[in-house]
Amino acid sequence: VQLQASGGGLVQAGGFLRLSCATSGGTLSSYAVGWFRQAPGKEREFVAAFSRSGRSTYYADSVKGRFTISRDNAKNTVYLQMNSLKPEDTAVYYCAANSHTTQSSDEYGYWGQGTELTVSS
């Protein structure tokens, strides 16, 4: 499966943005999909994930209540709605797919290119 993330940009603190992860070459419902981010000088960290069944979602504590992951199987696309953005959300965001749900980036076998988000204070 191939993934392509898009939707990043420059946003003021308190603003919102929606990232998209378009998938191809596979059936979205066959994969768990996660969002990760990597800020300058920091390690890649888990943000949110959808279970393969689509019935469960998982969030990092730092984004819980502000970010929402959703997916449209018909469009083979996963979204990350980000509200109440903070400067510390600034990072390159990646989407990834895997055969099972995990918060460990090392276990994801398929990655899209990143999309950059900058949140200004």
Side-chain angles (χ1 to χ4, degrees), residues 74-85:
K75 295 183 178 180
N76 284 323
T77 301
V78 176
Y79 303 98
L80 185 68
Q81 178 67 41
M82 306 181 294
N83 299 329
S84 302
L85 284 164

Side-chain angles (χ1 to χ4, degrees), residues 3 17-18 31 35 38 43 50 71 77 88 91 109 115:
L3 304 98
L17 203 66
R18 188 178 77 164
Y31 297 93
W35 284 96
Q38 187 166 18
E43 293 186 353
F50 238 119
R71 74 187 205 185
T77 301
E88 50 264 43
T115 185

Side-chain angles (χ1 to χ4, degrees), residues 36-45 47 87-94 116-117:
F36 293 81
R37 66 186 182 186
Q38 187 166 18
K42 295 187 176 181
E43 293 186 353
R44 189 172 298 185
E45 64 174 0
V47 176
E88 50 264 43
D89 294 319
T90 295
V92 177
Y93 284 73
Y94 300 87
E116 188 169 4
L117 168 68

Side-chain angles (χ1 to χ4, degrees), residues 22-102:
T23 67
S24 61
T27 303
L28 181 59
S29 58
S30 298
Y31 297 93
V33 177
W35 284 96
F36 293 81
R37 66 186 182 186
Q38 187 166 18
K42 295 187 176 181
E43 293 186 353
R44 189 172 298 185
E45 64 174 0
F46 170 77
V47 176
F50 238 119
S51 65
R52 190 171 67 177
S53 68
R55 289 193 290 267
S56 299
T57 55
Y58 306 87
Y59 297 94
D61 288 343
S62 58
V63 307
K64 204 171 292 184
R66 299 188 298 122
F67 290 12
T68 302
I69 189 171
S70 63
R71 74 187 205 185
D72 186 332
N73 285 345
K75 295 183 178 180
N76 284 323
T77 301
V78 176
Y79 303 98
L80 185 68
Q81 178 67 41
M82 306 181 294
N83 299 329
S84 302
L85 284 164
K86 304 175 181 180
E88 50 264 43
D89 294 319
T90 295
V92 177
Y93 284 73
Y94 300 87
C95 58
N98 194 48
S99 59
H100 63 276
T101 309
T102 174

